[in-house]
Amino acid sequence: MVKNVWIIGSGIIKLFLFGIAISCYADTITINGYTYTYQIDGPGVRLQNCSSEDWDNNTKESTPAISPLPSGDFVLPATIKGTKVWHIGANAFRGCTNLTSLTIPDGPTMSGVSIGVSVGESSFEGCTALTNVVFSSSTGPIYSRAFASCTALTTFEFPESICFIAEGILSNCTSLAPVL
């Protein structure tokens, strides 16, 4: 079955066709050969995926927040259209199997205080080649399963600025050395 998602400017788009609902509230922009799906809300830019649901077959599909999926060493952009990135949405980069290194930049500030970039639920889950994650000096919350099943991760250093770490963020990361 062929499914099309149209993203026109910003706004909520829902397409009901043969029991399929496709929704996305986002804009897209291409930077350095990567097309990002994002929305500007709160203190900055939220990178997010779009999702579709097939009610007849009880299945859900998710389109990553970036296309093509990054490979090798990847540095997340600090800004999109002059606005700082503040949140990496749930499942945004899930399954980027050729991503080996990730750098997450500083997030925006509110009232002179850095709030950091938060990492959503399952954002990088299943990035099986990911060996290294570099956080900026300001990192926001890291939500459930954010780096789960990143089986090549050998070390993971929590930034000092982190304010919240959810359960299971590193579950099934089988190459991690035990923390004593």
Side-chain angles (χ1 to χ4, degrees), residues 44-64:
V45 170
R46 173 189 298 265
L47 297 177
Q48 66 180 44
N49 61 343
C50 291
S51 61
S52 65
E53 186 171 347
D54 184 338
W55 295 317
D56 294 332
N57 296 314
N58 198 28
T59 60
K60 286 186 176 184
E61 291 182 26
S62 183
T63 303

Side-chain angles (χ1 to χ4, degrees), residues 70-86:
S71 60
D73 297 342
F74 183 73
V75 178
L76 201 65
T79 63
I80 291 181
K81 288 194 169 182
T83 303
K84 284 211 172 222
V85 172
W86 79 279

Side-chain angles (χ1 to χ4, degrees), residues 138-149:
S138 66
T139 300
I142 301 177
Y143 293 96
S144 177
R145 301 188 60 81
F147 295 95
S149 300

Side-chain angles (χ1 to χ4, degrees), residues 92-129:
F93 292 78
R94 187 176 185 162
C96 287
T97 56
N98 294 318
L99 179 65
T100 58
S101 178
L102 171 69
T103 301
I104 298 174
D106 282 328
T109 57
M110 289 182 72
S111 302
V113 176
S114 178
I115 61 171
V117 175
S118 63
V119 182
E121 185 174 324
S122 299
S123 290
F124 296 94
E125 184 171 355
C127 294
T128 54

